[in-house]
Amino acid sequence: MNHHPSSSSSSSSSQPPQQTLIPGLPYDLSALILAYLPYPYHGTLKSISKSWHHFFSSRFYHSIRLKHIPYSNTSHLLCIFPQDPSVSPPYLFDPHTKAWSSLPLMPCNPHVYGLCNFASVSLNCHVYVLGGSLFDTRSFPLDRPSPSSYSFRFDFVSKRWETLPPMLSPRGSFACAAVGNWNRNRNRNRNWNGNGNGNRIVVAGGGSRHTMFGAAGSRMSSVEMYDIGRNEWIGMEGLPRFRAGCVGFMVGDEFWVMGGYGESRTILGVFPVDEYYRDAAVMRFGDEGEGKWRSVGDMWDEGERRQLGKIAVVEDGSAGCPQVFMLDKNDIFRYDMTSNRWCKETTLPKRTLDESAVGFVALNGELHVMATHNGAGSVENRRLRRHKRLTSLYIQIYHPGKRIWRTLTTQPPFQQPLDFKTAVMCTIRL
């Protein structure tokens, strides 16, 4: 969309333009009212009038929310990447209002395709898409996947994707987490430009595996950190051993890397099988920078489970310490750091048919278990579903503090059923 110079400058300013938003009300009061409307509705709200389109596209809108809305009261949204974000748009979902909205496509490279196993993480008003595995038409052989070092960032203020410096080492299926001042003085130290001195993103491990292949691809132990203020990647001390397919999260000022696989073995010398890890590696971040890696022993005994399940971290648990939960088939376990063991927390009220095709994420202090709701598998229902463009999403929600369950059903706007085996998710507060 083309703007006049005056309009362009005002849209990027934090000062209120001289327009009428709600007839009969002062502009400041009208702006404050509109600032409380959830983000997923903005696409619809922009079409109401030119003044509303200008307001919801301006930095002034974000400055009002930053000033008047406490961090704890901002909308905690789920960002879902159904497929390669350069060919299939990401979506935001607000579980409170059951509203969906799409994001623009990520910049496309004509030489690469099939991006998967990338990491997405949010920080302030940005969502980052890092690395992954893909196919490159410039490499040989053409059917062999390659790890990616690409880094992209979506700015919810400018509504645009930005290309960032590439990672030092290409990688997919790796651990990733935001580090820095994100967990300190959140309410007042938020920076909508996302370039605070204390904001960093750390990535660890990974490899070149693609979702189209089984136990194949490379493994790595390298670790690096993206300094947002300096806009550069910095190498760090590597993991104690190769680790791919792992998960990363922050607990206080410690970066945890759990699970994953390293070496692989073959059955009958033909079929490759991963050797999954039962331990974790932890690095502490302090005022003087990052520390050394320390190893955490096996978290379960031989035969108890084959590999780590899906992980979700509830930010504010008891005594203000984040709580780590794992979805293992139809059970949810809580991680006890003192004993280094997983303790059973609860069981899903409604069991899932395909235990691997389930999403698991923490939103607003609750655990969300998501699965495509297909109903009964009768011939009649299958015939009806052929005429439906979409299937519903069934969400079972558990509150760890209250230890109660509730359910939610929503109709996602995807063109095909969501596959949680390959979809990538992260959460963001806006």
Side-chain angles (χ1 to χ4, degrees):
M1 180 179 293
N2 296 325
H3 298 276
H4 296 294
S6 59
S7 174
S8 176
S9 61
S10 62
S11 64
S12 60
S13 172
S14 60
Q15 299 299 320
Q18 298 302 316
Q19 295 177 332
T20 299
L21 291 177
I22 301 178
L25 291 181
Y27 183 89
D28 290 345
L29 179 58
S30 301
L32 183 60
I33 293 174
L34 296 183
Y36 276 85
L37 297 177
Y39 186 93
Y41 289 111
H42 288 189
T44 302
L45 295 172
K46 287 181 180 180
S47 62
I48 292 180
S49 67
K50 290 183 178 179
S51 62
W52 281 36
H53 186 281
H54 186 277
F55 172 74
F56 286 111
S57 302
S58 68
R59 293 184 181 272
F60 180 58
Y61 159 78
H62 294 281
S63 67
I64 292 177
R65 291 183 61 85
L66 179 64
K67 180 178 180 181
H68 295 283
I69 301 180
Y71 179 85
S72 58
N73 291 345
T74 54
S75 298
H76 201 187
L77 309 176
L78 177 64
C79 186
I80 302 180
F81 298 83
Q83 295 178 346
D84 183 342
S86 64
V87 297
S88 179
Y91 287 87
L92 284 181
F93 173 60
D94 185 349
H96 180 68
T97 61
K98 299 173 66 173
W100 293 84
S101 64
S102 63
L103 301 180
L105 289 173
M106 202 173 71
C108 178
N109 184 333
H111 298 290
V112 300
Y113 62 96
L115 180 66
C116 68
N117 289 336
F118 55 89
S120 65
V121 62
S122 67
L123 194 57
N124 296 324
C125 64
H126 294 110
V127 165
Y128 294 78
V129 173
L130 309 172
S133 300
L134 46 73
F135 296 97
D136 195 325
T137 59
R138 298 164 295 184
S139 64
F140 183 83
L142 295 178
D143 61 349
R144 179 175 297 173
S146 303
S148 169
S149 60
Y150 294 131
S151 302
F152 297 94
R153 174 174 64 193
F154 183 75
D155 187 340
F156 282 89
V157 177
S158 64
K159 311 294 192 300
R160 295 177 180 176
W161 284 98
E162 305 166 322
T163 302
L164 304 178
M167 291 188 292
L168 303 178
S169 299
R171 68 187 78 215
S173 303
F174 55 94
C176 177
V179 189
N181 293 334
W182 67 279
N183 61 342
R184 300 173 183 173
N185 303 321
R186 296 182 181 182
N187 194 32
R188 294 294 89 189
N189 286 347
R190 286 182 295 156
N191 185 344
W192 284 108
N193 294 322
N195 56 2
N197 293 330
N199 295 327
R200 297 162 289 173
I201 297 174
V202 61
V203 299
S208 62
R209 177 173 297 182
H210 196 275
T211 55
M212 291 179 60
F213 296 85
S218 62
R219 283 90 162 150
M220 62 194 309
S221 61
S222 70
V223 180
E224 55 189 289
M225 178 178 64
Y226 176 61
D227 189 314
I228 296 178
R230 298 166 61 180
N231 190 32
E232 66 176 352
W233 289 93
I234 303 170
M236 300 172 63
E237 178 184 343
L239 290 165
R241 54 180 175 173
F242 293 150
R243 192 184 291 261
C246 46
V247 61
F249 52 86
M250 292 296 298
V251 177
D253 57 0
E254 291 186 332
F255 175 51
W256 284 66
V257 178
M258 274 188 179
Y261 51 85
E263 300 298 329
S264 64
R265 58 184 176 87
T266 59
I267 300 177
L268 301 177
V270 178
F271 304 103
V273 177
D274 287 320
E275 294 286 354
Y276 288 97
Y277 293 142
R278 290 177 286 167
D279 65 343
V282 182
M283 175 180 283
R284 187 181 187 88
F285 288 83
D287 296 333
E288 299 179 357
E290 68 277 3
K292 301 292 184 180
W293 288 100
R294 63 180 174 87
S295 297
V296 177
D298 292 350
M299 295 175 286
W300 63 86
D301 296 325
E302 184 72 30
E304 187 176 349
R305 60 177 54 87
R306 180 168 178 261
Q307 67 184 88
L308 189 73
K310 297 188 175 183
I311 299 297
V313 180
V314 176
E315 294 181 0
D316 298 319
S318 58
C321 179
Q323 298 179 86
V324 184
F325 294 90
M326 173 178 62
L327 178 64
D328 185 11
K329 298 181 179 179
N330 286 282
D331 296 322
I332 293 179
F333 293 80
R334 184 196 301 258
Y335 179 59
D336 185 347
M337 292 188 178
T338 303
S339 63
N340 189 30
R341 284 292 183 269
W342 292 96
C343 306
K344 185 175 179 179
E345 175 79 10
T346 184
T347 300
L348 299 183
K350 182 176 181 180
R351 301 177 66 88
T352 58
L353 299 179
D354 187 352
E355 298 164 351
S356 61
V358 176
F360 188 51
V361 69
L363 282 163
N364 291 315
E366 296 179 311
L367 299 172
H368 290 60
V369 181
M370 297 168 285
T372 301
H373 186 59
N374 294 322
S378 64
V379 176
E380 179 182 359
N381 281 335
R382 289 197 297 270
R383 186 182 302 112
L384 290 174
R385 286 199 299 273
R386 293 194 192 102
H387 301 286
K388 292 183 179 180
R389 187 174 64 92
L390 304 171
T391 56
S392 59
L393 194 63
Y394 183 71
I395 308 176
Q396 301 181 76
I397 304 173
Y398 176 72
H399 194 294
K402 301 177 181 178
R403 297 181 181 271
I404 57 175
W405 285 93
R406 61 187 180 92
T407 60
L408 173 66
T409 303
T410 181
Q411 195 79 17
F414 308 131
Q415 298 301 319
Q416 62 258 346
L418 183 63
D419 185 358
F420 285 106
K421 295 179 182 178
T422 56
V424 176
M425 299 185 294
C426 71
T427 65
I428 184 171
R429 284 192 176 272
L430 294 173

